[in-house]
Amino acid sequence: MSRSAGSAARPGGRSTGRTREAAADPDRHPFLAGIRAAWRAAPGLAGARRVVVGVSGGADSVALLCALHRLAPALGIERLVAAHLDHGLRGETGAADRRFVVALARRLG
């Protein structure tokens, strides 16, 4: 699948029409803007300096971790920790999730 340098593609190759400029600006990216607004509205979160995010390795928790990493300076987050539990019940699938989360956390710093 190919896409132009300035737009995001949806499954099937259709463009969303978003430019890299919008994706780079958290105030213009709807997902990041939603996370920022929810964070500021949640009692006890605004002003949190150290944050632990539970990351299963699935799309939702990975998206949340990446969004908070991206927004950390704007939200005043000084330390963001990814927490993952491989309880050993899913064998190699669980181990693969663990390896993925560890690699992602290392890549994000």
Side-chain angles (χ1 to χ4, degrees):
M1 169 174 59
S2 65
R3 60 183 168 159
S4 68
S7 66
R10 289 186 179 160
R14 296 185 314 261
S15 173
T16 62
R18 292 190 193 120
T19 64
R20 283 188 178 172
E21 182 179 299
D25 182 354
D27 291 322
R28 293 180 57 195
H29 191 284
F31 178 70
L32 294 177
I35 295 289
R36 176 186 257 175
W39 184 269
R40 290 185 171 159
L45 288 182
R49 300 290 179 243
R50 295 182 187 113
V51 177
V52 177
V53 179
V55 184
S56 67
D60 294 337
S61 61
V62 168
L64 178 61
L65 176 64
C66 291
L68 289 176
H69 179 264
R70 179 77 176 269
L71 294 171
L75 298 176
I77 298 171
E78 296 170 359
R79 181 155 171 84
L80 183 61
V81 176
H84 176 82
L85 173 63
D86 178 0
H87 43 67
L89 299 177
R90 295 180 31 226
E92 180 52 33
T93 302
D97 286 344
R98 176 180 35 82
R99 289 189 299 271
F100 171 75
V101 172
V102 167
L104 175 61
R106 285 183 178 150
R107 195 166 54 245
L108 293 175

